[in-house]
Amino acid sequence: MTKTTPIYDFAIVGAGMAGASLAAELAGSATVAMLEAEDQAGYHATGRSAAFWEECYGGPDIVPLTLASGPFLNDGGFLTRRGALYIGRDEDSAQLDHFLERFEGTGASISRVEQAEIAAKIPGLRPQWTGAIWEPACADIDVGSLHAHYLSAAARAGAVLKTRFRVASLAMTNGVWTITSEAGSVISARRIINAAGAWADQIAGLAGCEPAGISPLRRTVVQLRTNPQPSSEMPLVLDVSGRFYFKPEAGRVWLSPHDETPSEPCDAAPEELAVAEAIERLQSVVDWNVTTVERKWAGLRSFTPDRLPIYGADQHNSDFIWFAGQGGFGIQTAPAAARLMAARLLGNETPDDLAAIDVTKYAADRFG
């Protein structure tokens, strides 16, 4: 008897946080295959995130997605409250004021604080850091557990995960996509969801769609041992000018120079110059002694030209769906983004708690 090859309702290219969360929301109501190029899901951006749920991260137009994702992340036990400080010097006072103005009315809980309060929260703070924005709700995200939750939920609902499936070609005939891997494996699906992160424009090209102008940018993170050891109660600390952020992690410091170096889609690796810059910037903030660089890594954060995500059907092919360009905020917004997209793809009403989100800001046709 000849075995019939299934035609999936959706083939999702990429099984990182974006692809896994959307698969979990779709499966059960549709047949879903996740196609992952690597040996394991979440190898690239998802697996290299120093993620935090931070209300202002990504800008005012991302706040609605972040706030709508908060209850799911909190109720699921994926968040650990930390708080965040955007710090500045005297010369940064106007930037701190502008920060407050940008987020006024967004629902983000932020307030201006002065040096004494900053110093109490950051032991060893150097005196030139005189002002800050305090965000008490900021929390660490257990990225690994969240990703595993979505993969498990998708599998329980019947979604199929195919690893080592690096897409080589896409072709549509009679309303069905034929998706062929570099190894020659073939999948058929009625619609393709492009959740390929840094590779999203390449996948679009294979489908005959115009690129969205998604740019992969390398972000470096280092794990340091310092003297003194950072307090576990210390908040996430970010430069209001965007030159660094750091936080404690299991007795160590996780530090980034907040770099955004253009890169081809690749298995990103840290550069020594970025590591050195990160340490130099940390030492301009606190009087700690860096004793050891224990780990260093890099990941690619992918942005559209306007730095907002791209969600929805391609303007020229309604069976090619964009779910990409989620920058560094894709993990903290995953619950809301996946539920929004699943409702649209399944023809369901938008959930009440997401109804106020203006999805037109993220539409795929805005670059046309």
Side-chain angles (χ1 to χ4, degrees):
M1 179 179 292
T2 303
K3 184 177 180 180
T4 302
T5 302
I7 300 176
Y8 294 94
D9 294 318
F10 298 99
I12 302 178
V13 182
M17 193 68 75
S21 59
L22 186 50
E25 296 295 339
L26 290 171
S29 299
T31 56
V32 178
M34 288 181 283
L35 310 179
E36 171 56 52
E38 306 298 344
D39 292 348
Q40 64 185 46
Y43 175 75
H44 289 287
T46 297
R48 306 178 193 198
S49 173
F52 32 80
W53 185 86
E54 196 270 280
E55 292 174 311
C56 299
Y57 198 55
D61 288 331
I62 302 302
V63 173
L65 292 169
T66 299
L67 294 182
S69 297
F72 174 89
L73 294 171
N74 187 64
D75 294 347
F78 301 112
L79 298 183
T80 302
R81 183 69 65 90
R82 176 168 300 286
L85 280 171
Y86 281 86
I87 65 173
R89 298 152 295 187
D90 285 344
E91 57 265 36
D92 300 320
S93 181
Q95 289 191 62
L96 291 168
D97 290 338
H98 179 60
F99 189 101
L100 285 173
E101 292 168 4
R102 284 183 70 211
F103 290 94
E104 185 176 2
T106 64
S109 301
I110 53 177
S111 60
R112 187 77 176 262
V113 295
E114 302 304 325
Q115 188 175 38
E117 187 170 347
I118 307 167
K121 295 181 184 297
I122 311 174
L125 182 74
R126 296 191 185 277
Q128 63 265 35
W129 298 93
T130 54
I133 305 294
W134 171 238
E135 186 198 307
C138 178
D140 296 338
I141 301 178
D142 187 339
V143 178
S145 293
L146 180 63
H147 188 228
H149 163 82
Y150 279 129
L151 289 174
S152 295
R156 288 195 303 271
V160 173
L161 171 62
K162 294 185 177 294
T163 57
R164 302 181 186 177
F165 196 109
R166 188 175 299 277
V167 176
S169 68
L170 301 170
M172 175 173 269
T173 305
N174 297 325
V176 175
W177 288 100
T178 298
I179 310 162
T180 306
S181 75
E182 289 182 352
S185 298
V186 177
I187 289 287
S188 296
R190 294 179 178 85
R191 285 190 278 182
I192 289 176
I193 298 173
N194 183 6
W199 287 263
D201 272 357
Q202 291 185 3
I203 295 300
L206 292 176
C209 298
E210 291 295 319
I214 292 175
S215 301
L217 304 176
R218 188 178 66 243
R219 171 61 51 87
T220 305
V221 182
V222 294
Q223 177 176 299
L224 306 174
R225 185 189 292 269
T226 62
N227 184 18
Q229 179 176 300
S231 166
S232 62
E233 304 300 316
M234 194 181 74
L236 169 69
V237 180
L238 309 98
D239 179 17
V240 73
S241 299
R243 298 178 65 251
F244 58 78
Y245 58 81
F246 60 91
K247 68 172 186 174
E249 181 70 25
R252 309 294 191 265
V253 176
W254 278 15
L255 165 70
S256 173
H258 209 274
D259 49 333
E260 292 190 343
T261 305
S263 171
E264 292 297 318
C266 66
D267 186 356
E271 294 189 351
E272 290 304 321
L273 178 59
V275 173
E277 287 177 341
I279 294 172
E280 180 182 8
R281 292 171 188 179
L282 174 69
Q283 293 181 321
S284 75
V285 179
V286 290
D287 61 6
W288 310 341
N289 180 36
V290 175
T291 60
T292 310
V293 176
E294 292 189 332
R295 293 175 56 210
K296 50 191 174 183
W297 64 96
L300 297 180
R301 303 155 75 251
S302 303
F303 290 95
T304 64
D306 62 7
R307 297 180 76 90
L308 297 180
I310 179 169
Y311 300 152
D314 185 80
Q315 58 183 324
H316 301 301
N317 189 334
S318 60
D319 293 318
F320 184 87
I321 314 299
W322 291 87
F323 196 55
Q326 301 191 63
F329 47 80
I331 292 172
Q332 71 175 39
T333 60
R339 290 173 63 220
L340 273 174
M341 182 60 73
R344 295 174 64 186
L345 293 175
L346 296 171
N348 297 334
E349 292 292 324
T350 301
D352 290 344
D353 62 315
L354 306 180
I357 297 176
D358 182 4
V359 295
T360 63
K361 294 179 179 180
Y362 319 128
D365 62 2
R366 71 186 190 273
F367 300 120

